[in-house]
Amino acid sequence: MLDNILNREDFLELLSQIAQNNRYNTKENLDSIDYLNFVSFEQSLFIVLDAVYKYKVIIDEEKYLKDFIEELNLLIKKIDNYSDIGIGVNKLITKFTVLKLGYKDKEAEHRKEILNYVYDRYVKNGYLFHAISDVYKDEIIRNGFIPQQYNNLYDEFKKVNDIVGEDVLNTDFSNKDVSFTDSFLKAYYYAINSPFYFYSLFCNNDLIKKAEDRSSYMKNSYEDCFNNLNKIIYKLDLDNKKANLLKDVCNKEWNLINRSNYCPTVMVVKRSLLLKDDDLGDINDDIMLFEAVGKIISSKQDNIKCDFRIDPSDIEFIMLPKYSDLVKEEKKSIQKVNEDDGYSNQYGSVSLLLVAGSLLIALGVIITMIMIITGG
């Protein structure tokens, strides 16, 4: 669904800047929904992906895409708080919708048509989302989506829940339904942290305080996540039996979902499959057009229950960028000298001879000076 955007060089460069440039990701969190849940550069990243998703669904014009990405880039770079960035995104979506419909400089007289168009594209014929671990994708393609019928370790995580307590992990593993959301931003958040109970255990709890520790799961870092787990074991003062059970279950889950190579994956279904929406209804004529558009495309349903099978033909998948796609970390290699390596020995020996020679020359100069001074 988003492949044509996700593969563009200009968009990939924008994502790279968001991940590595503080001008793009260090903002004030005024009126920001759930901002405390976000770590590192996540919030800027999610806002940008949500914006291009809205562009794709509502406008979907290749000829305007370059300009949209450029203006989105400027918006994220220059605005210093997430509240105003959200308003800016609504203005951009409105601007390019008006361009698509050919109503430039005629927005007021075509206000109703514009709002009906946005509603029809984004709501009536729009989509809902559910984040999954990507290892389940092929199974869903073959057999459809059956809520909670994953190859999972729920029975073992019930024991983990009892060990660590609700302050660390508070999940009902006997629940038979799942939740969809109408927010693509939230869907990406859940996808990058899927399965959410595993993320909660490693990073999203009151025992893990430091920002760099809380970003361990987003980075798919086995070492950092299990360092966090050791901190939890220490702070809870768990005995060896409980600590070993905890580590064993987490190791099995990590391997089961192949978390080290995980790619954030969102399952997409038509909104009409789970919800029946009425017509647009009345939107106050006193508010500006971009504000009215913002009301339509804002999230309203974050916990849409599904307890029935969804056929594969009704499902699409969006594979989203993971941490390693955005941040190219340089690996510092330490070269170990092999004593059997003739090349290393050759230049190692030459270096030693040079040092020895220099010392002998220096010693000779010192002796000569002494002899001159003493008249010897």
Side-chain angles (χ1 to χ4, degrees):
M1 180 182 284
L2 291 178
D3 287 352
N4 68 315
I5 299 178
L6 292 176
N7 293 325
R8 289 177 61 100
E9 286 189 15
D10 53 354
F11 188 64
L12 291 173
E13 175 59 25
L14 172 55
L15 296 185
S16 178
Q17 289 296 323
I18 287 171
Q20 300 177 87
N21 188 331
N22 286 342
R23 292 189 66 182
Y24 287 82
N25 60 50
T26 302
K27 312 289 182 182
E28 295 181 22
N29 293 303
L30 302 173
D31 302 322
S32 176
I33 298 174
D34 294 333
Y35 74 89
L36 290 174
N37 290 330
F38 301 129
V39 298
S40 190
F41 53 80
E42 280 185 347
Q43 190 161 7
S44 294
L45 176 68
F46 297 156
I47 287 173
V48 165
L49 264 296
D50 182 63
V52 297
Y53 167 78
K54 287 170 177 172
Y55 179 92
K56 177 67 177 178
V57 171
I58 298 169
I59 297 131
D60 197 19
E61 285 283 356
E62 188 69 27
K63 63 182 177 180
Y64 300 134
L65 186 52
K66 180 176 183 292
D67 290 340
F68 181 81
I69 292 172
E70 286 179 356
E71 294 195 33
L72 185 60
N73 189 327
L74 289 174
L75 176 69
I76 298 295
K77 184 178 181 179
K78 291 187 174 182
I79 303 300
D80 64 359
N81 71 81
Y82 289 118
S83 178
D84 288 344
I85 289 173
I87 293 170
V89 169
N90 291 339
K91 288 181 177 180
L92 282 181
I93 294 296
T94 303
K95 172 185 175 178
F96 284 91
T97 300
V98 169
L99 278 175
K100 176 185 173 73
L101 296 177
Y103 294 149
K104 187 178 180 181
D105 301 323
K106 302 174 184 177
E107 295 97 326
E109 57 195 278
H110 293 285
R111 178 185 174 98
K112 186 174 181 181
E113 292 97 316
I114 294 168
L115 295 180
N116 279 326
Y117 172 83
V118 172
Y119 180 84
D120 183 73
R121 298 279 292 192
Y122 195 78
V123 179
K124 190 174 181 180
N125 292 295
Y127 300 89
L128 299 174
F129 317 101
H130 177 70
I132 63 166
S133 294
D134 58 342
V135 293
Y136 300 126
K137 179 185 171 186
D138 290 343
E139 176 68 19
I140 292 171
I141 290 172
R142 287 192 299 269
N143 299 316
F145 176 71
I146 306 172
Q148 302 296 20
Q149 296 299 305
Y150 303 123
N151 177 20
N152 56 50
L153 303 175
Y154 284 179
D155 287 339
E156 294 181 67
F157 269 97
K158 289 177 184 177
K159 299 175 185 175
V160 169
N161 218 342
D162 292 337
I163 290 172
V164 299
E166 293 185 355
D167 289 340
V168 175
L169 182 62
N170 186 14
T171 301
D172 182 4
F173 291 101
S174 61
N175 190 22
K176 297 300 181 185
D177 58 28
V178 299
S179 293
F180 281 73
T181 177
D182 67 351
S183 167
F184 188 75
L185 185 153
K186 288 286 187 69
Y188 194 4
Y189 169 68
Y190 292 132
I192 215 164
N193 296 312
S194 179
F196 201 73
Y197 60 83
F198 207 31
Y199 163 62
S200 296
L201 178 59
F202 281 126
C203 298
N204 191 33
N205 61 73
D206 290 338
L207 298 183
I208 302 301
K209 303 289 188 181
K210 294 181 180 179
E212 58 267 30
D213 292 339
R214 295 176 71 87
S215 66
S216 302
Y217 198 75
M218 176 188 71
K219 297 176 180 179
N220 295 341
S221 172
Y222 176 91
E223 181 180 357
D224 292 341
C225 282
F226 278 81
N227 281 339
N228 285 356
L229 194 64
N230 285 331
K231 292 175 185 177
I232 291 170
I233 289 169
Y234 174 77
K235 291 179 180 180
L236 293 177
D237 194 23
L238 300 181
D239 60 37
N240 286 338
K241 182 178 179 181
K242 291 179 179 178
N244 289 335
L245 187 150
L246 185 57
K247 291 178 183 179
D248 181 59
V249 173
C250 288
N251 264 304
K252 287 196 288 187
E253 178 78 3
W254 191 279
N255 292 326
L256 177 67
I257 64 173
N258 192 24
R259 182 69 207 188
S260 295
N261 301 303
Y262 174 71
C263 175
T265 304
V266 172
M267 189 173 70
V268 184
V269 301
K270 294 292 287 185
R271 187 182 181 100
S272 57
L273 195 67
L274 295 173
L275 290 176
K276 177 173 171 45
D277 289 295
D278 297 326
D279 292 332
L280 174 60
D282 293 329
I283 292 181
N284 193 335
D285 289 337
D286 294 336
I287 63 176
M288 298 184 71
L289 179 61
F290 78 86
E291 294 176 295
V293 169
K295 284 181 176 293
I296 296 171
I297 64 178
S298 63
S299 175
K300 302 174 184 65
Q301 305 266 9
D302 194 36
N303 192 21
I304 305 159
K305 297 298 184 183
C306 175
D307 59 2
F308 59 87
R309 177 183 177 274
I310 299 176
D311 192 79
S313 62
D314 292 322
I315 299 171
E316 293 184 62
F317 294 95
I318 300 177
M319 313 297 286
L320 291 162
K322 56 183 178 293
Y323 181 84
S324 60
D325 295 330
L326 306 172
V327 178
K328 305 302 181 185
E329 295 184 316
E330 294 183 5
K331 295 182 179 179
K332 296 179 181 179
S333 59
I334 300 175
Q335 292 185 345
K336 183 179 179 181
V337 177
N338 185 344
E339 292 181 357
D340 294 326
D341 189 316
Y343 183 87
S344 297
N345 280 338
Q346 176 187 353
Y347 286 95
S349 301
V350 170
S351 297
L352 288 172
L353 289 171
L354 286 172
V355 171
S358 298
L359 289 172
L360 288 172
I361 291 170
L363 182 59
V365 170
I366 292 170
I367 292 171
T368 302
M369 290 179 66
I370 291 172
M371 291 176 66
I372 293 170
I373 293 170
T374 59

